[in-house]
Amino acid sequence: AILDIDDDMSWPQALEVVLQRGDLKNTQIDPSQVSQRPFRGAFVRGIAPAMSQVQPLLVAGQILAQDRDGVVCLFDVDNADSVQIENGSTFSDLGTRIQGQDMPYDKVQMEDKPEADMPTSIGLRFQDPDAGFAIGFEHFGLRNPEGTDHTNEQVMDLSSMVLTRREARNLATTLMRRAWINRRTYRFTLPAAYLHLLENDLVTWTDDEGTTIVARIIQRDIGANFLINITAVAEQTNVSVAGSPVQSSSTIVPQSTPAPATVTTLAIDAPGISNAEVTTPGIRLAVIVTGGTL
């Protein structure tokens, strides 16, 4: 299912090619903030929207996107814009409200997902170039997690993507770490000075206890009063894993099918070379094999 692999293609080029299938022009795509690393290949089967085609690439490459004035800007997950939110004992942009309105809740609302919903193992299906592009599988799971008595094994299908076993294991480990980090959700309201914030931006502030918090915006709603309601998840940068141990190939490498040999025969007009050939009628043939395997 993989045709015409381009060994010189990079991740920014691959993302641009896929997005162009959605009728976007070059001037509407900016992948300049995606790191230059080799793209090993992917395939699309059947008719699918461009967004569905690019989604596996974003997950596998740990890449985010933003619409900035009509331009789709792509960037590595650790390369997002970061904004500091003002918060102090006498003044805070958190929990903004209209003058005279009572504060109906705390400046920042926090909520954690139930532990039963958190994964204890994440596995990836992918195409393994070291196994003849057969479907491979790598996973990462919690090792004797203290206080965790549930099992929640999740499998992500990236079988349209070509990844080495090391890349797949690193990705599974990174996704596992991010899932637990993103477990906490923050909700707060900001004034109009933060209208420039977009989804996937990072925001950071120091809470009233002096703890520095970093969160990634996943939703923003702007009301008629220009107050900005933000929903964000806890985030940490530089959590990507680069050196995970890998499993041996979990699939049987498909046997190659050699091309059939071409056999040519030619009758030779020559005298017999033994007494048996003189006394028994017969035809001498020359057999020529070209290409392939007999």
Side-chain angles (χ1 to χ4, degrees):
I2 300 178
L3 305 176
D4 300 328
I5 295 176
D6 186 352
D7 293 330
D8 296 326
M9 179 169 283
S10 65
W11 273 89
Q13 292 172 329
L15 290 164
E16 189 170 358
V17 167
V18 175
L19 287 174
Q20 285 175 352
R21 296 169 63 95
D23 297 328
L24 289 175
K25 301 177 181 178
N26 289 341
T27 55
Q28 297 175 294
I29 306 170
D30 181 11
S32 60
Q33 296 183 61
V34 177
S35 59
Q36 294 283 343
R37 56 188 189 274
F39 182 78
R40 305 186 188 280
F43 77 90
V44 177
R45 179 181 290 119
I47 299 174
M51 201 62 216
S52 299
Q53 297 177 28
V54 78
Q55 188 65 30
L57 277 70
L58 298 179
V59 174
Q62 289 291 275
I63 296 166
L64 299 174
Q66 287 178 340
D67 182 354
R68 301 176 185 172
D69 295 329
V71 177
V72 179
C73 296
L74 302 142
F75 51 91
D76 293 327
V77 68
D78 291 330
N79 197 27
D81 291 340
S82 181
V83 175
Q84 176 76 36
I85 298 177
E86 182 71 27
N87 183 40
S89 57
T90 59
F91 175 82
S92 175
D93 285 336
L94 295 168
T96 300
R97 63 191 185 278
I98 299 175
Q99 184 176 5
Q101 181 183 12
D102 294 333
M103 177 71 74
Y105 42 74
D106 294 336
K107 289 188 295 185
V108 179
Q109 302 174 76
M110 293 185 298
E111 181 182 1
D112 290 339
K113 289 183 180 179
E115 188 173 284
D117 294 341
M118 303 305 298
T120 56
S121 173
I122 292 181
L124 290 179
R125 291 193 180 96
F126 63 99
Q127 294 205 29
D128 188 352
D130 297 323
F133 297 102
I135 300 300
F137 182 82
E138 290 287 340
H139 80 283
F140 178 81
L142 297 178
R143 297 182 177 88
N144 300 320
E146 183 178 354
T148 302
D149 56 1
H150 74 286
T151 300
N152 185 349
E153 298 179 349
Q154 300 180 7
V155 177
M156 184 172 295
D157 187 2
L158 291 180
S159 56
S160 63
M161 297 291 307
V162 180
L163 302 169
T164 64
R165 289 196 287 273
R166 175 61 56 83
E167 289 172 338
R169 182 60 176 268
N170 289 340
L171 179 58
T173 307
T174 301
L175 291 174
M176 186 71 171
R177 297 181 70 185
R178 287 198 184 280
W180 282 85
I181 292 171
N182 298 157
R183 177 185 179 187
R184 174 162 294 180
T185 300
Y186 299 97
R187 292 181 176 85
F188 47 87
T189 303
L190 296 174
Y194 294 92
L195 280 172
H196 62 285
L197 292 178
L198 299 174
E199 284 86 356
N200 291 326
D201 280 342
L202 291 175
V203 290
T204 178
W205 70 91
T206 302
D207 65 14
D208 295 340
E209 285 73 35
T211 303
T212 299
I213 297 175
V214 179
R216 187 179 303 279
I217 298 175
I218 60 173
Q219 182 180 349
R220 64 165 194 156
D221 297 310
I222 303 175
N225 53 12
F226 292 102
L227 296 185
I228 309 163
N229 297 311
I230 297 291
T231 302
V233 293
E235 186 62 285
Q236 291 182 20
T237 57
N238 301 318
V239 300
S240 299
V241 180
S244 300
V246 300
Q247 307 175 96
S248 60
S249 178
S250 59
T251 56
I252 300 175
V253 179
Q255 298 296 319
S256 60
T257 304
T262 301
V263 180
T264 304
T265 58
L266 178 65
I268 300 176
D269 184 9
I273 59 175
S274 67
N275 290 334
E277 293 179 358
V278 172
T279 58
T280 303
I283 300 176
R284 187 180 299 279
L285 298 176
V287 180
I288 304 171
V289 179
T290 57
T293 305
L294 277 177

